[in-house]
Amino acid sequence: MSNEATRDAPRTEDSRFGYAALVGRPNVGKSTLMNRILGQKLSIVTAKPQTTRQQVAGIKTTEKGQVVYIDTPGIHLAAKKALNRYMNRIAQAAFQDVDLVLFLIEAGRWTRQDENVARSLKKVDVPVFLVVNKIDLLPDKRELLTFLDREVRIGRFSEVLLIAAKNGDGVDDLENRVMEELPFSRPFYDEDQFTNRSERFLAAELVREQLMLRLHKEIPYALTVEIESFKREDGLVRIGAVVWVERKSQKQIVIGKGGDVLKQVGTRARHALQDLLEEKVFLRLWVKVSRDWTDNERALKQFGYDDG
Ligand SMILES: Nc1nc2c(ncn2[C@@H]2O[C@H](COP(=O)(O)OP(=O)(O)OP(=O)(O)O)[C@@H](O)[C@H]2O)c(=O)[nH]1
Ligand SMILES: [Mg+2]
């Protein structure tokens, strides 16, 4: 699990260190950007909004210093359930204790949810960079200028950066600008550490990603993954995970006819886990019901959605 780019970075006093939060409404590309910066898959990504549910720190060490990027859940309106309120709370908590906020939006799309995030960023007392992502989808530069001027009103932000996280356009420039903004300080993390999250957490996320990709409608939002066992033995990693859903009917859908859905998800997740761990993986999945867990504070805590 080592990160090639982080090796041999010097630990001198003139290197920089700090935290940068990636915030924005769901689906703007926060997790894609973090993975692109780290050069590896850390945060899960799907085309569905509200994919990320927790803060995930990605640590990038170079010869200039160390930046801890904090990926966050998309801040959304109409957060009726306890899980949604948790996600918004966790995302907004990242505004504090960082040196810089990167506020991501989509080129050409400014919604009520973006305005809501912009409004809550007013109280932040560190610089806020506006990061306009997905510029590949809006190649007409004149259109982009009008959009930024009229809809986004970019005068409110310290800086504006144009990127396409998916193909990497503008990402080197963004990283350089972030580094320049951070204080001179020693790195806090070892240079080969690329996240603050445990293997168990990352494993649960990779399984959840495959479930979110494979399933539709309300199901991706009604499930969570809990790692029950994680053992290294006989030259492989044995992982047992429970997929929790809210109702019996959802359990049937997740399992599929003759178990085909769960089997396909399991195979794909096992491959993803092997890429992450660089070890052979044996994965067992079960599906269980925890009635209406997304609106139950106690169940949320049990499944790791904990403010602590
Ligand atoms: N065309 C294009 N698509 C992108 C780009 N960046 C991200 N995407 C796509 O946008 C979708 C959402 O990406 P995510 O990285 O999951 O977005 P997010 O902001 O982390 O979303 P939440 O976790 O739900 O808040 C995925 O389908 C990505 O492939 C980009 O630069 N260009
Ligand atoms: Mg995300």
Side-chain angles (χ1 to χ4, degrees):
M1 300 211 324
S2 69
N3 185 338
E4 290 295 331
T6 64
R7 292 222 181 98
D8 306 316
R11 293 184 164 230
T12 58
E13 281 166 19
D14 45 40
S15 70
R16 296 177 188 265
F17 172 75
Y19 294 85
L22 300 167
V23 306
R25 71 162 157 82
N27 216 38
V28 290
K30 300 175 293 296
S31 302
T32 304
L33 176 59
M34 187 159 88
N35 292 344
R36 166 66 58 180
I37 289 170
L38 291 194
Q40 75 177 78
K41 173 69 170 287
L42 174 57
S43 253
I44 64 169
V45 170
T46 80
K48 298 182 176 82
Q50 298 178 30
T51 296
T52 305
R53 291 178 181 166
Q54 306 265 24
Q55 279 192 17
V56 181
I59 304 159
K60 175 81 178 258
T61 310
T62 69
E63 66 283 353
K64 290 189 204 151
Q66 187 174 69
V67 188
V68 183
Y69 290 90
I70 315 281
D71 187 18
T72 64
I75 297 169
H76 52 288
L77 295 166
K80 291 199 183 95
K81 293 189 170 173
L83 175 63
N84 299 94
R85 290 193 296 275
Y86 169 85
M87 288 161 65
N88 281 345
R89 201 161 63 237
I90 285 298
Q92 305 224 9
F95 296 1
Q96 272 97 49
D97 303 326
V98 292
D99 300 282
L100 176 67
V101 172
L102 301 174
F103 169 32
L104 270 80
I105 63 167
E106 262 181 65
R109 268 192 86 193
W110 181 258
T111 68
R112 273 178 61 234
Q113 300 208 107
D114 293 302
E115 186 59 46
N116 172 53
V117 181
R119 216 174 300 130
S120 58
L121 283 169
K122 275 191 195 155
K123 55 178 187 247
V124 170
D125 52 15
V126 294
V128 176
F129 288 5
L130 179 79
V131 179
V132 184
N133 189 29
K134 309 195 188 182
I135 53 164
D136 55 307
L137 298 178
L138 200 78
D140 186 342
K141 290 284 177 283
R142 278 166 309 181
E143 221 178 288
L144 192 55
L145 288 178
T146 317
F147 165 73
L148 292 174
D149 191 36
R150 297 214 186 125
E151 291 188 68
V152 188
R153 294 183 291 118
I154 53 175
R156 316 185 246 181
F157 305 104
S158 316
E159 189 144 345
V160 180
L161 299 162
L162 307 182
I163 67 160
K166 203 168 181 172
N167 63 28
D169 277 358
V171 175
D172 286 347
D173 281 348
L174 177 143
E175 287 191 65
N176 289 332
R177 278 301 295 123
V178 169
M179 189 66 86
E180 285 167 14
E181 210 63 32
L182 303 181
F184 287 105
S185 176
R186 283 169 175 268
F188 183 77
Y189 295 96
D190 284 345
E191 54 209 47
D192 60 357
Q193 191 175 345
F194 69 90
T195 185
N196 63 340
R197 287 293 188 172
S198 66
E199 287 181 333
R200 283 175 89 105
F201 174 84
L202 300 179
E205 287 289 272
L206 287 178
V207 176
R208 191 166 65 83
E209 180 178 48
Q210 291 307 326
L211 289 159
M212 280 198 75
L213 288 168
R214 181 65 181 75
L215 295 154
H216 304 287
K217 295 189 183 139
E218 92 285 5
I219 312 279
Y221 303 101
L223 59 83
T224 191
V225 176
E226 189 181 32
I227 301 295
E228 278 210 328
S229 57
F230 192 110
K231 274 184 287 197
R232 287 189 162 83
E233 60 184 22
D234 310 328
L236 51 81
V237 190
R238 288 181 190 277
I239 301 171
V242 177
V243 182
W244 289 100
V245 291
E246 293 196 301
R247 281 156 226 276
K248 236 172 139 181
S249 57
Q250 295 165 344
K251 178 174 169 171
Q252 287 316 314
I253 295 168
V254 172
I255 292 170
K257 249 198 213 124
D260 64 338
V261 174
L262 199 62
K263 205 167 141 196
Q264 193 181 59
V265 164
T267 305
R268 291 178 181 169
R270 185 169 59 79
H271 286 132
L273 285 162
Q274 290 185 162
D275 287 346
L276 172 80
L277 300 169
E278 294 173 349
E279 287 170 276
K280 207 165 157 45
V281 169
F282 178 80
L283 175 66
R284 269 194 79 173
L285 298 176
W286 289 267
V287 186
K288 292 185 186 172
V289 178
S290 171
R291 199 158 173 88
D292 297 325
W293 71 268
T294 59
D295 210 15
N296 177 335
E297 301 281 355
R298 229 177 49 187
L300 286 177
K301 283 206 176 72
Q302 183 198 329
F303 298 146
Y305 302 98
D306 201 323
D307 291 81

